[in-house]
Amino acid sequence: MTQTKTQTRDRPWLFRTYAGHSTASASNALYRSNLSKGQTGLSVAFDLPTQTGYDSDHILSRGEVGKVGVPVCHLGDMRALFDQIPLEQMNTSMTINATAPWLLSLYIAVAQEQGADVAKLQGTVQNDLVKEYLSRGTYICPPKPSLAMITDVAAYTREHLPKWNPMNVCSYHLQEAGATPQQELAFALATAIAVLDDLKNKVPTEAFPAMVGRISFFVNAGIRFVTEMCKMRAFTELWDEICRDRYGIEDAKYRRFRYGVQVNSLGLTEQQPENNVYRILIEMLAVTLSKNARARAVQLPAWNEALGLPRPWDQQWSLRMQQIMAYETDLLEYDDLFVGNPAIERKVDLLKEEARSELAQIDAMGGAIAAIDYMKARLVDSNAARIGRIEAEETIVVGVNRWQQGEPSPLTAGDGGIMVVDPAVEAEQIGRLNEWRVQRDADRVATALKALQLAASKGENVMPASIEAARAGVTTGEWAGVMRAVHGEYRGPTGVSANPSNRTEGLDDIREAVNMVSATLGRRLKFLVGKPGLDGHSNGAEQIAFRARDCGMDITYDGIRLTPEQIVAQAIADEAHVVGVSILSGSHVPLVQDLMERMRAADLGHVPVIVGGIIPDEDAAKLTSYGVARVYTPKDFELNRIMSDIVTLVADGQKVA
């Protein structure tokens, strides 16, 4: 088999860096700096209040403002975010889901202020609520009205933004939640099918094929790069098959699998973090080597994301990795390197067969919306199996469960190797928000909100009313408040059954210890697991609850987005013996301080509290000073050791009592 050079060198994919933090003006400076360094597209990270539809001064926003992205409360923030960046010339990806119609409305309003031709706007809004229920947790409303908002955006862009990708089916977070390649294929394709089935009723029949062609995907590429490359080829072939056979799309260009990628962050390690550079490079190969399945846009995490927020230099390093691959190598000069490779073809065929089987199961249940509980449970189970393989050293992770000893990393010396958001940012953002409210036209705001509520109540497309609300000065929290009032709020499934699984091998000693402590207590050891704040990354909390249950503890885990007050109330109701909280958004200090103060006020100071998250050493010391009994970070992957710690904490408390 010989490979020939292409006639002309292929154009490289879009170079993106997922970025945004602290304030709109600070993020704008970062974007302009990245563009000057050769980045060719923008990828906007929004903070958790913006993602979940709260203004920066909402009680649930405390400690979350500007931490994992940029806060955008109103048109003024969006205006500052894109100051001096001509949107008509830009290709912008906005990672936003529950509030996608609103953020796109703000983007359109700013583009119009710049004098841009809206029809020329290019970019993507993620707008995938199904994966939010399964893995990321930034949903607001129940699935059915959320699906309607997805297709509202798609139908509006067909008419007004023909170059815009209105929905980005996101399998990235599915893999982060433990999905196997087969599950990632099936669950993402099932989501796309649900969207297209609904969209068919909102666009003219003759326009539907072109709309199918506007659906894009955002995927994950893990360390097993041969398997991941085969997964991408399987995605390409299965999507072509679905578009042709299910929807009758005849034009091949509308059946093309168009995808962007961020390579795996789940596999980035806190231990020996310099090794992550190699992991990121290898994972990028999976989505660039094969021309027939090459990504249209690539964004790479930074080597230190397991430690905290990357600095501009860290992001530049990842950008340079892409540029070296695209411009210094000869990769883009050749046709597909893997056509006719029997090993690749066998693996692709196997993945397709297994994905089709999973799709058939979901279809039999009524499609993705009806199968959310089923898919969530499958992901939690798959993630438990993944962690079990790492603990048993069936899966080797360098520096984690093998070859842990090494030289100290000079990359983390000095300033700690991460960027820290100034706590004053939150108060400053709230100050600007209050000024905005005072200066706007209150009557125009009230009229816009009334029109928005009417459109949502009548089942009309919410985009026109949302754009007018953006221009009127409505805030993110006010827009989402209307959606909550009309459609109600939703609490997604946790995927953690109350019944123990059949994975109890290796747990005999811990189960016996739990039984002994429970006998002393006079009832089963009660462990309350909670997620305070807006962080929806629930994988860690789910796996702790999953393992604690299998060790024989009586667990309570009600999912994400709880206030410290609610967690304390649940601890009182449960008469909990130990409380565990998980926070990965960087808001651990204010939230845990609040929780501990409320625990003492409720006369629960004797109940041990353990905390898990991406927590720097200096912050861990603060949490300990607040009275936290144990602090765990991603390096603490041995769940059985954590279970033993819990038993010991409760037993020691009994001795003291």
Side-chain angles (χ1 to χ4, degrees):
M1 181 177 64
T2 60
Q3 292 295 331
T4 59
K5 281 195 175 186
T6 56
Q7 291 293 319
T8 58
R9 184 180 175 87
D10 292 336
R11 291 177 61 187
W13 51 91
L14 280 170
F15 303 152
R16 284 189 172 132
T17 303
Y18 182 53
H21 63 81
S22 61
T23 67
S25 58
S27 298
N28 171 262
L30 177 62
Y31 295 162
R32 288 192 282 122
S33 174
N34 285 346
L35 290 168
S36 72
K37 294 172 183 174
Q39 187 172 302
T40 53
L42 293 177
S43 183
V44 181
F46 296 99
D47 74 355
L48 288 173
T50 305
Q51 292 183 48
T52 50
Y54 294 106
D55 286 332
S56 296
D57 59 351
H58 192 278
I59 183 62
L60 281 171
S61 300
R62 186 186 175 200
E64 306 279 17
V65 176
K67 285 287 174 60
V68 300
V70 57
V72 175
C73 292
H74 48 71
L75 183 61
D77 284 340
M78 190 65 97
R79 190 184 291 144
L81 186 63
F82 293 108
D83 182 43
Q84 300 180 59
I85 298 175
L87 297 186
E88 191 175 297
Q89 302 170 28
M90 195 51 53
N91 192 307
T92 304
S93 172
M94 294 194 288
T95 304
I96 197 75
N97 296 284
T99 52
W102 174 242
L103 271 297
L104 180 58
S105 295
L106 290 171
Y107 188 87
I108 291 169
V110 168
Q112 289 172 330
E113 285 185 348
Q114 291 185 355
D117 180 351
V118 171
K120 293 181 179 178
L121 294 180
Q122 295 186 71
T124 302
V125 65
Q126 194 167 94
N127 202 21
D128 179 355
L129 266 298
V130 176
K131 66 93 178 174
E132 296 300 323
Y133 304 125
L134 299 180
S135 55
R136 183 60 186 82
T138 67
Y139 52 80
I140 297 174
C141 298
K144 286 187 177 179
S146 294
L147 178 64
M149 280 189 272
I150 292 172
T151 52
D152 277 358
V153 170
Y156 185 85
T157 59
R158 180 199 73 82
E159 208 170 342
H160 301 284
L161 283 77
K163 295 184 176 182
W164 193 270
N165 300 317
M167 199 266 176
N168 189 233
V169 182
C170 181
S171 71
Y172 175 84
H173 290 101
L174 301 181
Q175 186 177 129
E176 296 282 291
T180 64
Q182 298 90 329
Q183 289 170 342
E184 189 178 343
L185 285 163
F187 295 0
L189 292 170
T191 297
I193 288 169
V195 170
L196 290 180
D197 283 354
D198 194 68
L199 183 59
K200 278 192 302 184
N201 304 314
K202 292 187 176 181
V203 299
T205 302
E206 65 275 11
F208 184 69
M211 287 307 300
V212 173
R214 300 284 350 139
I215 299 296
S216 61
F217 291 75
F218 187 71
V219 305
N220 200 327
I223 195 67
R224 294 172 58 82
F225 84 93
V226 175
T227 297
E228 294 294 308
M229 184 187 67
C230 291
K231 179 190 75 180
M232 297 320 307
R233 295 172 77 92
F235 251 137
T236 299
E237 294 174 20
L238 285 168
W239 183 240
D240 183 80
E241 182 181 298
I242 289 167
C243 292
R244 184 189 66 238
D245 298 346
R246 185 182 182 101
Y247 298 111
I249 307 300
E250 296 179 359
D251 192 332
K253 72 180 180 184
Y254 294 141
R255 303 198 304 264
R256 188 161 60 93
F257 186 79
R258 303 161 60 253
Y259 80 100
V261 64
Q262 171 158 322
V263 306
N264 195 303
S265 292
L266 178 67
L268 301 183
T269 63
E270 181 181 0
Q271 305 94 318
Q272 301 179 18
E274 63 277 4
N275 295 341
N276 294 329
V277 175
Y278 304 127
R279 294 186 176 106
I280 293 166
L281 175 60
I282 290 168
E283 290 165 352
M284 183 173 66
L285 295 178
V287 294
T288 56
L289 279 181
S290 174
K291 179 178 179 178
N292 293 349
R294 184 171 295 147
R296 294 184 70 251
V298 176
Q299 59 191 46
L300 302 180
W303 67 279
N304 55 350
E305 286 194 18
L307 306 177
L309 188 64
R311 300 159 300 188
W313 181 87
D314 306 312
Q315 294 186 333
Q316 175 185 294
W317 200 10
S318 288
L319 174 62
R320 295 294 183 250
M321 193 182 296
Q322 293 201 58
Q323 292 168 326
I324 290 168
M325 177 67 74
Y327 293 113
E328 293 192 24
T329 77
D330 57 356
L331 175 65
L332 299 181
E333 297 174 11
Y334 287 85
D335 292 326
D336 197 286
L337 306 176
F338 301 96
V339 171
N341 184 308
I344 298 296
E345 289 178 355
R346 281 195 301 271
K347 182 65 174 177
V348 171
D349 287 344
L350 178 62
L351 289 172
K352 287 165 60 178
E353 179 184 346
E354 293 172 333
R356 285 193 194 101
S357 176
E358 190 74 74
L359 272 169
Q361 171 77 12
I362 294 168
D363 207 37
M365 298 175 75
I369 298 297
I372 284 171
D373 285 28
Y374 162 78
M375 291 190 287
K376 178 65 176 179
R378 291 274 283 156
L379 289 176
V380 171
D381 198 52
S382 294
N383 206 15
R386 181 190 68 83
I387 292 171
R389 289 192 297 271
I390 294 173
E391 288 181 296
E393 293 193 18
E394 295 171 15
T395 296
I396 302 301
V397 183
V398 175
V400 175
N401 62 1
R402 188 77 66 86
W403 306 295
Q404 295 96 330
Q405 300 303 315
E407 297 298 322
S409 171
L411 293 175
T412 57
D415 65 0
I418 58 172
M419 179 178 173
V420 178
V421 174
D422 187 342
V425 159
E426 185 167 321
E428 293 168 1
Q429 172 68 12
I430 291 172
R432 284 189 295 272
L433 173 60
N434 288 330
E435 287 177 15
W436 177 267
R437 289 181 179 134
V438 169
Q439 293 171 2
R440 63 187 182 172
D441 183 334
D443 290 339
R444 186 180 178 190
V445 168
T447 300
L449 287 172
K450 185 176 180 180
L452 178 64
Q453 183 168 22
L454 185 62
S457 300
K458 293 171 67 175
E460 296 175 354
N461 192 310
V462 298
M463 284 299 297
S466 296
I467 294 170
E468 174 51 33
R471 294 191 189 112
V474 166
T475 68
T476 296
E478 290 166 342
W479 181 90
V482 169
M483 297 305 136
R484 288 183 167 95
V486 173
H487 302 301
E489 289 199 72
Y490 179 74
R491 290 200 66 79
T494 67
V496 182
S497 162
N499 302 314
S501 71
N502 58 5
R503 288 201 188 98
T504 56
E505 63 275 7
L507 302 182
D508 291 345
D509 290 347
I510 301 174
R511 289 169 67 86
E512 180 59 27
V514 170
N515 288 338
M516 291 177 63
V517 170
S518 297
T520 303
L521 294 168
R523 62 188 176 95
R524 185 59 43 185
L525 190 162
K526 184 68 179 183
F527 180 27
L528 168 62
V529 180
K531 280 196 63 62
L534 298 178
D535 170 35
H537 285 104
S538 57
N539 303 338
E542 290 160 2
Q543 292 308 314
I544 290 290
F546 192 98
R547 183 64 60 85
R549 177 203 65 190
D550 287 355
C551 287
M553 300 181 200
D554 180 10
I555 64 157
T556 295
Y557 174 56
D558 291 332
I560 62 171
R561 221 178 297 167
L562 302 172
T563 64
E565 184 178 18
Q566 288 172 317
I567 292 173
V568 172
Q570 190 66 56
I572 295 170
D574 285 354
E575 297 182 20
H577 298 113
V578 62
V579 174
V581 296
S582 170
I583 309 167
L584 279 82
S585 63
S587 58
H588 43 268
V589 171
L591 288 174
V592 171
Q593 184 177 20
D594 187 11
L595 174 68
M596 297 307 294
E597 289 171 355
R598 291 178 183 277
M599 291 284 286
R600 284 189 288 272
D603 200 25
L604 295 178
H606 63 286
V607 176
V609 174
I610 63 175
V611 178
I614 300 175
I615 301 172
D617 290 343
E618 58 270 25
D619 284 357
K622 282 184 184 177
L623 302 189
T624 301
S625 74
Y626 299 155
V628 170
R630 296 283 191 281
V631 176
Y632 299 101
T633 68
K635 69 176 181 293
D636 300 298
F637 68 95
E638 296 174 296
L639 298 189
N640 286 352
R641 184 173 69 81
I642 297 175
M643 297 301 112
S644 295
D645 288 351
I646 292 170
V647 175
T648 300
L649 285 170
V650 176
D652 288 349
Q654 288 301 299
K655 292 174 187 174
V656 171

